[in-house]
């Protein structure tokens, strides 16, 4: 399997606070990998560092064989890395279709075809295609944020807390779509506080505490680990 992402010794600081401490991780083509941990464990800081939204204090990031440690977020996106940010951040004053067109602005003639693919993945968006994004429910906005990221045709889809603030039914809907993407061969990095949901989908996982990886391995092994079960899966 081809390695898509390789991270060695990643550290992130905010002033005097060290949010991420010498983290190593990797993802191979077609894998779904979860980064787990409580709120404040460093998950989002890792995501932001990987996608170029914060500067790294130490370490190296390689994406598809290219050192991207010092590249801007725009150049990482152009290289094939797509982020679905925490909080969704859709363009509220644009319609669903306009949001998708913005996501696919580099796709040229493929925009219409990709838009139809997104409507097939999320039928609710087809129903809401002329509606302003600001008027959508939280779950619908999450669908739109994922679809907008996919409009680029990325090699790696990075999702930051996709279940945050959603109802259990909507979480199931979102994760069914993510599973569909995984089954079709999409490479996915998933930062998620809800360990039970993420471990049901991921191939491998990394567990963070205080910015450091304290446990890693196959998702099945983490689900069966007594410590993970007690602290993150409710026993």
């Amino acid at each position: 399997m081809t390695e898509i992402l390789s991270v060695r010794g990643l550290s992130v600081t905010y002033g005097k606070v060290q949010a991420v401490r010498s983290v190593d991780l990797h993802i191979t083509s077609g894998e779904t990998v979860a980064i787990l941990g409580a709120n404040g464990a460093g998950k989002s800081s890792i995501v932001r560092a990987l996608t170029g939204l914060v500067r790294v204090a130490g370490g190296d990031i390689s994406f598809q064989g290219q050192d991207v440690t010092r590249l801007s977020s725009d150049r990482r996106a152009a290289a094939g890395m797509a982020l679905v940010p925490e909080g969704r951040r859709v363009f509220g004053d644009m319609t669903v279709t306009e949001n998708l067109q913005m996501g696919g602005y580099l796709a040229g003639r493929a925009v219409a075809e990709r838009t139809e693919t997104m409507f097939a993945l999320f039928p609710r968006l087809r129903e809401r295609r002329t509606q302003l994004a600001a008027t959508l429910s939280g779950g619908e906005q999450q669908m739109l944020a994922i679809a907008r990221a996919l409009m680029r045709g990325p090699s790696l889809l990075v999702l930051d807390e996709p279940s945050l603030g959603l109802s259990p039914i909507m979480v199931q809907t979102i994760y069914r779509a993510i599973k569909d993407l995984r089954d079709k061969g999409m490479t996915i990095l998933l930062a998620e506080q809800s360990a039970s949901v993420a471990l049901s989908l991921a191939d491998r996982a990394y567990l963070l505490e205080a910015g450091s990886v304290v446990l890693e391995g196959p998702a099945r092994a983490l689900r069966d680990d007594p410590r993970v079960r007690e602290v993150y899966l409710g026993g």
Side-chain angles (χ1 to χ4, degrees), residues 44-126:
S44 290
S45 292
I46 290 176
V47 165
R48 291 170 186 152
L50 296 181
T51 54
L53 297 179
V54 298
R55 181 174 295 182
V56 303
D60 300 295
I61 304 168
S62 177
F63 178 60
Q64 299 195 110
Q66 178 186 7
D67 185 355
V68 299
T69 311
R70 307 301 171 191
L71 293 187
S72 67
S73 58
D74 288 346
R75 291 182 66 185
R76 296 187 207 197
M81 193 182 296
L83 171 65
V84 181
E86 180 182 349
R88 299 174 277 278
R89 300 181 192 175
V90 296
F91 303 119
D93 58 351
M94 294 183 179
T95 67
V96 166
T97 298
E98 288 169 342
N99 267 267
L100 296 179
Q101 290 171 342
M102 286 294 292
Y105 73 96
L106 294 177
R109 295 180 179 178
V111 168
E113 180 181 350
R114 290 183 184 178
T115 298
E116 284 302 311
T117 300
M118 294 305 105
F119 286 158
L121 180 65
F122 296 112
R124 187 82 62 90
L125 295 183
R126 186 189 299 277

Side-chain angles (χ1 to χ4, degrees), residues 5-8 23-27 33 35 46 50 189 206:
L5 181 72
S6 176
V7 179
R8 296 288 180 268
V23 165
D24 296 343
L25 63 86
H26 71 278
I27 306 173
V33 173
I35 302 175
I46 290 176
L50 296 181
L189 178 63
Y206 297 83

